[in-house]
Amino acid sequence: MPNTELCLEALSALSGCNVESTTGASQLTPQDFVNVVALKEFYKQEGFKELEYPSLGTLSLQDDDLYSAPPALTGPTESLKTTVKINPGDFFHPDFNYDFTHIKDGNTTFMRGNEQYFRPCGWDRAALRVIKKYDDGDSWLGTGKDAWPVSYHGQDMDGSLGVILTHGGSPSEEPKFLEAAAASLMTKETRGRGVYSTPDIKMAETKCKMFTSKTDGKKYKVVLQNRINPNKRRKCQRESVWLIYIPDDYNDIKTRTLVQESIRPYGLLVKQV
């Protein structure tokens, strides 16, 4: 497992906050954390400059890149970021850590729910403490048919990756597929407003956050490994792009509730560059 300090730095890079260790109660649960990361990305794409989140207050959407960038001579500094305290003992679950750094799956196929699971080979996973945290039990986290598919959060994924498919057809049926895609572009409900993720770790890696560790001076990539509610997810014209669609008339509370019902985190992935 990545050491605790490196994990805190990775969480800081993802959230744009200063994430620090505490022996008291955590300000955020793993679910809160994925909510913050997803909502900051969504509201930033919508053109907002701030996000209000319970227990944290106002979060800036303008300084997300400062953690990995050289200090600027002017403008906001890291000291102005929101500080988030988490207790590693109740946030991480070391029993389920898994080091995929030197693993190659080759042609082996893994499934989660009814979707193929592309394991994060090349990455080191720190497990998050999410067992027995949800009212509907833990089957979402399993390997059977009731399990939710695995998705990875890529920081810069947005609607430019593709519209939602609401008509028949597949890329192998090109005329029908293109007709469906064109029709989708003309429909308000399929423009792709919402939170994006991907089942493809390779795509997530191209969109992920990078940071330089203060602990060892090395550069790392960081990605969140989640499970996504198959009943809430919408597929886009690219098979490797999934969307939690957020209707235009949803207020902040409805938006946060939808994200919480749709995406559940269970792993923090880091990879040395």
Side-chain angles (χ1 to χ4, degrees):
M1 167 190 172
N3 65 55
T4 299
E5 287 304 315
L6 183 61
C7 287
L8 295 178
E9 290 181 315
L11 292 174
S12 298
L14 270 174
S15 66
C17 301
N18 291 320
V19 181
E20 299 178 355
S21 178
T22 181
T23 56
S26 296
Q27 282 182 272
L28 295 180
T29 65
Q31 182 63 58
D32 283 320
F33 191 84
V34 76
N35 289 354
V36 168
V37 172
L39 290 171
K40 287 189 75 171
E41 187 70 13
F42 168 65
Y43 281 115
K44 188 176 179 180
Q45 291 170 13
E46 290 291 295
F48 291 87
K49 296 182 179 180
E50 295 178 336
L51 165 68
E52 293 290 333
Y53 197 83
S55 81
L56 294 184
T58 303
L59 301 176
S60 172
L61 305 182
Q62 296 179 289
D63 60 351
D64 286 358
D65 294 330
L66 287 178
Y67 195 86
S68 56
L73 296 177
T74 59
T77 64
E78 190 171 316
S79 63
L80 297 178
K81 293 183 179 182
T82 300
T83 296
V84 178
K85 300 282 189 178
I86 67 165
N87 185 328
D90 63 34
F91 194 88
F92 297 106
H93 204 162
D95 291 348
F96 296 95
N97 292 344
Y98 202 101
D99 188 354
F100 292 93
T101 303
H102 302 294
I103 291 179
K104 295 182 180 180
D105 285 337
N107 295 324
T108 305
T109 299
F110 298 87
M111 300 293 292
R112 295 294 183 267
N114 294 316
E115 296 283 353
Q116 186 172 352
Y117 168 33
F118 298 95
R119 300 203 305 173
C121 297
W123 296 75
D124 196 1
R125 182 177 72 199
L128 306 181
R129 194 171 292 276
V130 293
I131 292 178
K132 297 182 180 179
K133 299 295 184 181
Y134 296 92
D135 293 339
D136 57 357
D138 296 325
S139 61
W140 64 276
L141 194 56
T143 60
K145 293 183 178 180
D146 292 335
W148 291 9
V150 174
S151 77
Y152 302 96
H153 180 79
Q155 191 78 11
D156 297 320
M157 298 183 70
D158 60 30
S160 65
L161 291 169
V163 296
I164 309 166
L165 283 180
T166 57
H167 300 75
S170 67
S172 62
E173 302 169 305
E174 187 171 337
K176 187 176 181 182
F177 177 77
L178 293 177
E179 182 181 349
S184 294
L185 283 170
M186 301 301 292
T187 307
K188 185 176 182 181
E189 285 72 23
T190 61
R191 289 178 185 168
R193 181 181 187 268
V195 176
Y196 283 81
S197 63
T198 175
D200 184 355
I201 183 62
K202 292 181 179 179
M203 172 179 276
E205 184 171 359
T206 67
K207 303 290 182 178
C208 74
K209 203 76 171 179
M210 289 195 292
F211 67 98
T212 300
S213 171
K214 298 175 183 176
T215 303
D216 60 17
K218 298 176 181 177
K219 290 185 177 181
Y220 292 89
K221 296 178 180 180
V222 56
V223 167
L224 277 175
Q225 186 177 30
N226 313 305
R227 297 296 185 98
I228 188 167
N229 189 331
N231 296 320
K232 302 287 186 179
R233 171 200 59 181
R234 308 284 288 276
K235 290 189 177 183
C236 297
Q237 65 188 49
R238 296 188 187 183
E239 292 183 2
S240 56
V241 178
W242 293 345
L243 170 72
I244 301 301
Y245 174 71
I246 299 175
D248 286 333
D249 59 352
Y250 269 35
N251 60 24
D252 290 349
I253 294 176
K254 281 187 175 182
T255 298
R256 187 169 66 247
T257 299
L258 178 60
V259 171
Q260 186 155 315
E261 292 174 345
S262 305
I263 304 174
R264 293 176 179 176
Y266 72 105
L268 177 70
L269 303 175
V270 296
K271 181 178 183 180
Q272 186 179 334
V273 178

